[in-house]
Amino acid sequence: MAEEAFVSTGLSPTYAFLMMMVYKDPGISQRDLAEQLHITPSTLTRLIDKLENKALVERQIDGKKTNVKLTPEGTDMNQTIMECWNKLYERYCEILGENEAKFLTEQLYATSLKLEQ
């Protein structure tokens, strides 16, 4: 369902989520992104490489730190990405009902917060 919701972006939900995180925190470090996504730095590097090839993000070197920010094209995609997330949520609501979809969303968010600790 998530893949279907994001087909209009040409991105998988994982890439869209990464871009959403960079949109919310421009110049976020690769280290922080990897931690927040619960992925290895090498996996994140591959994800960023692909987004860079699509001219949606760019890296900025700051001493030993590498930061990531959206390009103007990446910033322009934010509205479409948010619409896709909303479309996915609406689809969950259709299948599960609004109360169950809301509960699922809250549980996933709470689980994510626990994993970050």
Side-chain angles (χ1 to χ4, degrees):
M1 284 183 359
E3 294 288 336
E4 289 175 19
F6 284 90
V7 75
S8 66
T9 66
L11 302 171
S12 74
T14 303
Y15 287 100
F17 190 72
L18 188 154
M19 288 184 58
M20 188 176 70
M21 292 177 69
V22 174
Y23 181 83
K24 288 183 179 179
D25 189 0
I28 187 170
S29 72
Q30 281 193 211
R31 181 176 164 240
D32 288 345
L33 267 174
E35 287 177 6
Q36 290 178 28
L37 291 169
H38 306 287
I39 59 176
T40 64
S42 62
T43 298
L44 179 66
T45 296
R46 287 192 304 274
L47 293 173
I48 292 173
D49 285 346
K50 288 185 181 182
L51 290 173
E52 257 188 335
N53 288 336
K54 292 179 180 258
L56 298 173
V57 301
E58 61 187 17
R59 291 180 174 104
Q60 296 176 324
I61 307 301
D62 182 18
K64 292 183 180 184
K65 242 171 64 169
T66 302
N67 301 319
V68 182
K69 72 174 205 166
L70 297 179
T71 63
E73 293 84 0
T75 301
D76 289 346
M77 282 191 73
N78 186 64
Q79 182 63 35
T80 302
I81 289 170
M82 295 308 296
E83 289 169 4
C84 291
W85 283 117
N86 290 333
K87 187 187 315 181
L88 180 59
Y89 180 74
E90 288 172 9
R91 182 77 173 115
Y92 282 137
C93 287
E94 288 174 14
I95 295 169
L96 302 172
E98 191 168 346
N99 289 337
E100 288 294 319
K102 184 177 180 181
F103 178 75
L104 175 63
T105 302
E106 290 169 353
Q107 291 300 306
L108 289 172
Y109 181 71
T111 301
S112 175
L113 291 176
K114 285 181 183 178
L115 288 173
E116 287 179 15
Q117 296 173 349

